Amino acid sequence: MLEIGGKRIAMKEQRPKQRIRNFRSVPCGYTKEEVIAEAQRCIQCIHAPCEKMCPVQMEIKSMIREIVEGNFKQAFLIAKKDNAIPAICGRVCPQEEQCEGVCPLAQTGNGINIGKLEAFIADWAMENGVKEEFHIKERLEKVAVIGSGPAGISCAVDLRRYGYQVTVFEALHMAGGVLQYGIPAFRLPKNIVDYEISYLTEIGADLKLNHIVGQNIMFDELREKFSAIFIGTGAGAPQFLGIEGERLKGLYSANEFLFRTNLMKAYKFPEYDTPIVCGNAIGVIGAGNVAMDVARCALRLGAKDVYILYRRTKREAPARAEELQHALEEGVEFMELVNPKRAIGDKDGWVTAIEMFRMRLGEPDKSGRPRPIKIEGSEFIMKLDTVVESLGTKPNRLFLDMTPELETTKWGTIKVDEDLMTKIEGVAAGGDAIRGNATVILALGDGRKAAKSIHEYLLRRQ
Ligand code: FAD
Ligand code: SF4
């Protein structure tokens, strides 16, 4: 029987042995012929479930129809209308859980490769200088956006579209949040991030880098100077296991390891003046996407043996299937059913090993995954030169402690109502700051929704 839609057009990738020697993109992208052939497989379903599953409701079906006709400009404009950063989302969104996951062709493992189509048309627009044109009817009110991650970017773009005078305050010396400092260049090339962000200033937003709100500019000052505020400060504070030896040198949080590698370009040392200690044997504790990013960076930094240390099994690993597969292809070793007890160091305070328990799986816990149970007396020592804890992050207290009027949850995330407005009048929040660790596309959706709420709030005040 002929399969509807046929097989997915395979994406060429750098071979594992080659790619672990560089930080260039792993997927090589579709050619024009390939992108059209992939788009032609779309059966243009009447109800387009892919669009309903997209957190920003991109008009995916229409975008694909234009690609089939070779109208890449039109396809790009359709994507850009709802998604401020399509070249980024096309590369990093978990499409298999969203648009692609509900595509009827996914039942045979051949869902339309929506992410790669989106990335293609956005790259094509960048290479051909095609931009979205819209007429801004300027308004006098000023709005401040705190944080330039995906939530801040999408909120700022939409606020400009409504005509507000927007200033984005970013703590770091580069804009983009996790897109810039967390996700490595081999998954998300930095020229793409820079290009997508340059759009912010092109449409007239004022981007103030090196401005930590709560430190070199106060929140109250923003409240005096701006008619409304959006908080998109993310969740950048790392969580730790709380085990003995955690302060040893050579033991990092995933955030610090990725920050040094990506934002501070440690992989280009000594061209860039950022040291990173990454020995021959490195253990990464955790099995989410961030852990895979750390493990894959470590390989590229020259580590010989890279281990993912996880208390459950591969089957329960929270990482996307594609990320896990890429890591394994590259030679990362996955150690299942182990849990650290303590880190061991030498007389100079450098980590040399980690002691772990063996674990077994029990009944499902609240997350629905089998509970990992410690096997008493199973301790063993594993020699390692570097250890990285990748256990998730939470919102930074620095900003929150300076703004006690903001209500927070027990996880430290900011409380908002259904329109994403906080308890403080005219102040909205979104992205990881309200969700904890989430995704780029959810942050974009929040930014968009918050911009609409701020717009309605400012209209009501007139
Ligand atoms: P962030 O991206 O964290 O941006 C917040 C910004 O606010 C930062 O630039 C920060 O410097 C700034 N800021 C903080 N406090 C202040 C202050 N007081 N003053 C001024 N500025 C401030 N999601 C996916 O969908 N796909 C992936 O493949 C993926 N991979 C990931 C890999 C890593 C390593 C990490 C850490 C996360 C990953 N995520 C991924 C999650 C995703 O990146 C986040 O959910 C998303 O970036 C959240 O966006 P945000 O705008 O809320 O916050
Ligand atoms: Fe095309 Fe799949 Fe969307 Fe249907 S669900 S319109 S086949 S991409």
Side-chain angles (χ1 to χ4, degrees), residues 180-195:
Q180 195 71 261
Y181 75 73
I183 307 182
F186 53 82
R187 283 213 293 126
L188 181 59
K190 297 306 160 205
N191 65 322
I192 302 279
V193 178
D194 293 343
Y195 182 78

Side-chain angles (χ1 to χ4, degrees), residues 321-349:
E322 187 186 353
E323 302 311 327
L324 182 56
Q325 186 201 331
H326 274 147
L328 297 176
E329 279 170 9
E330 290 173 7
V332 171
E333 217 171 293
F334 199 110
M335 270 183 87
E336 299 181 328
L337 298 168
V338 291
N339 207 14
K341 180 182 176 189
R342 67 182 172 119
I344 301 166
D346 63 14
K347 63 178 175 24
D348 297 321

Side-chain angles (χ1 to χ4, degrees), residues 42-45 48-50 60-61 64 99 102-105 112 114:
C42 169
I43 54 173
Q44 294 282 306
C45 330
C50 50
I60 297 169
K61 184 168 131 177
I64 296 179
C99 51
V102 290
C103 174
L105 308 183
I112 301 293
I114 299 168

Side-chain angles (χ1 to χ4, degrees), residues 39-52:
Q40 280 169 338
R41 297 175 50 243
C42 169
I43 54 173
Q44 294 282 306
C45 330
I46 300 172
H47 299 297
C50 50
E51 294 180 4
K52 298 199 176 66

